[in-house]
């Protein structure tokens, strides 16, 4: 047994076995991070469901019903019948201008922050060239008296007051729902008077006070679409199909503007039926919280095997070079301390900023491992040496998670340097004759 205790290959095998065993609680920590992230998402959804979900304002779309006649062969009577069907033709505006202001605020569900907002939107534009002949529709088959102006709104709960539209200088109230689900599934509509003259222009102006959470998107349905948004939120993310042509972000908030042409999207100004989907072209602004501690915690947890391997290698080299013996149980306890670091980091970061949480959790873990080393080896020199090595290692990982774009490069270079140091100190060791302990 004494020979087995001092056998270097047996010790290496034990170390590898312990690392593999410790990867089990490491995976449990990663699952815990995902679970807590899921709880956060549930909290966001609960607040959003009561306040208003993320909003996408689509339209306006002018939808007009018409009669379509199709021939159908009746096998029973051996005759052709003329069947009348009701279909819809959809027109998009010639010009569309949207100006808006977003007033966000933070709400809390337990320990979780949720971004909600009030917004004031002014939407104006005009419809021209309602040419039915281009779509092979006869004017006599069109029900002009049932023309509707439709706006898409994801969550109607977010509408704060009655919405009216000034249509050709006439105020008309909107009703809930859309006249047809062919273009817009959820929204509001208003029955508007349409001239039978296809060259007559129809102008519109409306204002919508809309509540929502997380994001506000729009669809570029105008032949020319101009959108201008301003807010006092200073961490926006511009996403969707189009990025702003102009944007300015400061500590006081942001302003952004888009100019989009009908040539930039994959649907025309007029069509019939369910031919096209306008939602795929949406764009807008996400109101991001400055820090996502769960994603950062998960990134740190991915380096768990690196922490374990480097710490155990340090212990192993101490054994080899200082001629001391460290029991596998000591390795196991130190490994558990390293795993507990991730739960400390996760729990502390839910209450304070992530960077500060990382520093606190790191100092606690490094101090615990160093003091434990001093206690078992009766050597302050080795304890302080291990403290310095762990401090460098934790600082290195902290640097990596701050550099998202260069994380792989810096990580690869760091690993290369660590390997060089290990090979430098291992170059003169005679691995065939060495025995652990004195």
């Amino acid at each position: 047994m004494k020979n087995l205790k001092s056998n270097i290959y047996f010790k290496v095998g034990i170390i590898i076995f312990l690392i593999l065993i410790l990867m089990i609680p490491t995976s449990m920590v990663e699952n815990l991070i995902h679970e807590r992230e899921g709880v956060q998402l549930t909290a966001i959804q609960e607040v959003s469901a009561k306040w208003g979900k993320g909003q996408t304002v689509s339209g306006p779309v002018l939808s007009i019903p018409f009669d379509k006649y199709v021939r159908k062969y009746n096998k029973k009577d051996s005759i052709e019948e003329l069947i009348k069907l009701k279909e819809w033709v959809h027109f998009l505006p010639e010009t569309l201008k949207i100006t808006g202001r977003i007033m966000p605020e933070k709400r809390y569900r337990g320990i979780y922050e949720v971004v909600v907002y009030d917004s004031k939107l002014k939407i104006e534009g005009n419809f021209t060239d309602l040419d039915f002949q281009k779509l092979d529709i006869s004017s006599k088959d069109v029900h002009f008296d049932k023309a509707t102006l439709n706006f898409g709104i994801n969550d109607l709960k977010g509408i704060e007051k009655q919405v009216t539209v000034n249509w050709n200088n006439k105020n008309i109230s909107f009703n809930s729902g859309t006249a047809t689900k062919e273009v817009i599934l959820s929204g509001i509509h208003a029955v508007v008077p349409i001239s039978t003259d296809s060259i007559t222009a129809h102008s519109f102006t409306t204002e919508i006070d809309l509540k929502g959470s997380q994001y506000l998107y729009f669809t570029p349905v105008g032949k020319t679409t101009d959108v201008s948004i301003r807010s006092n939120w200073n961490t926006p993310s511009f996403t969707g199909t189009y990025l702003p042509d102009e944007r300015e972000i400061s500590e006081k908030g942001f302003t952004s503007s888009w100019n989009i042409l009908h040539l930039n999207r994959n649907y025309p100004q007029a069509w019939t039926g369910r031919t096209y989907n306008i939602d795929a072209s949406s764009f807008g602004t996400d109101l991001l919280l400055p820090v996502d501690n769960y994603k950062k915690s998960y990134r740190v947890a991915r380096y768990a095997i690196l922490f374990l391997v480097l710490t155990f290698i340090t212990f192993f080299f101490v054994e080899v070079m200082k001629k001391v013996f460290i029991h596998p149980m000591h390795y196991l306890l130190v490994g558990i301390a390293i795993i507990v670091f991730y739960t400390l980091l996760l729990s502390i970061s839910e209450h304070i900023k992530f960077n500060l949480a990382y520093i606190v959790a790191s100092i606690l873990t490094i101090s615990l491992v160093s003091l434990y080393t001093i206690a078992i080896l009766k050597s302050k020199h080795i304890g302080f040496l291990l403290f310095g090595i762990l401090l460098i290692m934790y600082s290195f990982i902290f640097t990596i998670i701050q550099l998202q774009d260069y994380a792989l490069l810096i990580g690869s270079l760091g690993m290369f340097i660590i390997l060089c140091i290990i090979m430098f100190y291992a170059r003169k060791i005679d691995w065939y004759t060495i025995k652990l302990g004195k």
Side-chain angles (χ1 to χ4, degrees):
M1 186 68 183
K2 186 176 181 181
N3 291 335
L4 192 63
K5 173 182 175 180
S6 60
N7 189 298
I8 189 171
Y9 300 107
F10 177 74
K11 176 55 70 72
V12 171
I14 290 293
I15 291 174
I16 294 174
F17 176 75
L18 289 175
I19 292 174
L20 294 176
I21 290 296
L22 288 169
M23 291 309 296
I24 296 175
T26 299
S27 65
M28 295 172 65
V29 170
E30 293 181 0
N31 290 335
L32 177 62
I33 295 172
H34 287 302
E35 179 184 337
R36 298 297 293 177
E37 189 174 25
V39 174
Q40 181 193 43
L41 182 60
T42 300
I44 292 173
Q45 290 173 343
E46 288 179 357
V47 174
S48 300
K50 296 176 182 179
W51 177 269
K53 298 178 181 179
Q55 299 284 16
T56 299
V57 179
S58 305
V61 178
L62 184 61
S63 298
I64 308 172
F66 68 96
D67 294 328
K68 181 178 180 180
Y69 297 90
V70 296
R71 295 184 181 276
K72 181 180 179 182
Y73 181 73
N74 190 326
K75 293 182 179 180
K76 181 178 179 180
D77 300 326
S78 299
I79 60 172
E80 273 192 343
E81 297 178 332
L82 197 61
I83 306 296
K84 183 172 74 171
L85 303 175
K86 180 183 177 181
E87 294 197 2
W88 292 83
V89 58
H90 310 288
F91 293 98
L92 303 184
E94 183 75 11
T95 61
L96 177 63
K97 182 180 180 182
I98 302 174
T99 55
R101 183 163 59 97
I102 303 175
M103 295 81 72
E105 59 178 295
K106 294 180 181 179
R107 294 292 177 96
Y108 293 88
R109 184 74 168 183
I111 63 174
Y112 301 105
E113 286 184 335
V114 183
V115 182
V116 299
Y117 63 81
D118 284 300
S119 66
K120 294 185 177 295
L121 304 175
K122 182 178 181 181
I123 305 173
E124 54 190 329
N126 64 78
F127 290 87
T128 61
D129 192 25
L130 304 182
D131 194 345
F132 296 92
Q133 297 298 326
K134 291 182 179 179
L135 299 171
D136 293 327
I137 300 172
S138 175
S139 297
K140 64 182 179 60
D141 295 326
V142 179
H143 298 277
F144 290 96
D145 59 325
K146 296 181 180 179
T148 58
L149 188 69
N150 299 272
F151 275 95
I153 297 174
N154 281 12
D155 190 354
L156 297 179
K157 193 187 310 92
I159 300 176
E160 294 196 84
K161 64 181 183 180
Q162 176 62 43
V163 184
T164 61
V165 61
N166 185 294
W167 180 266
N168 293 335
N169 298 321
K170 179 181 178 181
N171 289 327
I172 303 173
S173 296
F174 278 96
N175 296 308
S176 179
T178 56
T180 172
K181 305 291 185 182
E182 292 182 348
V183 181
I184 297 172
L185 297 178
S186 172
I188 56 178
H189 77 280
V191 179
V192 294
I194 296 293
S195 171
T196 57
D197 186 353
S198 64
I199 64 173
T200 300
H202 303 277
S203 61
F204 64 89
T205 302
T206 186
E207 294 184 358
I208 303 177
D209 291 352
L210 191 63
K211 296 191 301 183
S213 57
Q214 303 300 309
Y215 66 84
L216 178 61
Y217 293 169
F218 305 94
T219 54
V221 295
K223 196 169 186 178
T224 58
T225 301
D226 292 291
V227 178
S228 297
I229 298 295
R230 60 188 177 93
S231 174
N232 60 353
W233 191 256
N234 57 15
T235 56
S237 174
F238 303 108
T239 57
T241 307
Y242 312 97
L243 294 177
D245 296 296
E246 296 180 3
R247 64 179 181 178
E248 183 178 343
I249 303 174
S250 66
E251 289 297 321
K252 296 181 179 180
F254 75 88
T255 59
S256 58
S257 61
W258 292 260
N259 176 258
I260 302 167
L261 304 176
H262 71 293
L263 299 174
N264 304 136
R265 58 173 208 232
N266 195 30
Y267 48 88
Q269 287 298 110
W271 68 87
T272 60
R274 304 176 182 269
T275 312
Y276 298 97
N277 176 23
I278 66 174
D279 292 333
S281 62
S282 61
F283 64 93
T285 303
D286 287 334
L287 303 176
L288 296 180
L289 287 168
V291 176
D292 190 340
N293 58 302
Y294 295 111
K295 286 185 173 57
K296 286 190 174 182
S297 295
Y298 183 74
R299 289 181 62 199
V300 174
R302 298 298 296 272
Y303 291 98
I305 189 170
L306 178 63
F307 278 85
L308 290 170
V309 169
L310 291 181
T311 304
F312 284 5
I313 286 178
T314 301
F315 269 61
F316 179 71
F317 269 79
V318 167
E319 285 193 82
V320 171
M321 302 181 74
K322 297 295 183 180
K323 301 295 183 179
V324 296
F325 178 77
I326 301 176
H327 196 276
M329 184 57 68
H330 298 322
Y331 278 90
L332 179 62
L333 291 174
V334 169
I336 293 174
I338 292 173
I339 301 303
V340 170
F341 161 76
Y342 300 107
T343 60
L344 281 174
L345 174 62
L346 176 62
S347 57
I348 296 173
S349 67
E350 290 184 331
H351 300 277
I352 63 177
K353 292 184 177 180
F354 179 84
N355 289 351
L356 182 58
Y358 186 96
I359 293 172
V360 172
S362 298
I363 291 175
L364 290 174
T365 303
I366 294 172
S367 300
L368 175 62
V369 174
S370 301
L371 291 173
Y372 184 69
T373 303
I374 292 174
I376 63 176
L377 296 181
K378 312 298 183 185
S379 172
K380 291 184 178 180
H381 174 72
I382 296 177
F384 286 125
L385 174 64
L386 184 64
F387 182 91
I389 292 173
L390 291 177
L391 183 63
I392 293 173
M393 183 170 63
Y394 278 80
S395 300
F396 171 65
I397 300 301
F398 180 77
T399 302
I400 289 178
I401 64 174
Q402 304 301 316
L403 304 173
Q404 292 189 13
D405 295 335
Y406 297 97
L408 180 60
L409 175 62
I410 300 300
S412 300
L413 291 175
M415 290 297 297
F416 180 78
I417 293 172
I418 291 171
L419 180 60
C420 290
I421 294 173
I422 293 173
M423 294 175 70
F424 175 79
Y425 283 102
R427 72 191 190 281
K428 293 184 179 180
I429 297 176
D430 187 351
W431 298 99
Y432 288 103
T433 60
I434 191 168
K435 290 186 178 181
L436 300 177
K438 296 180 180 179

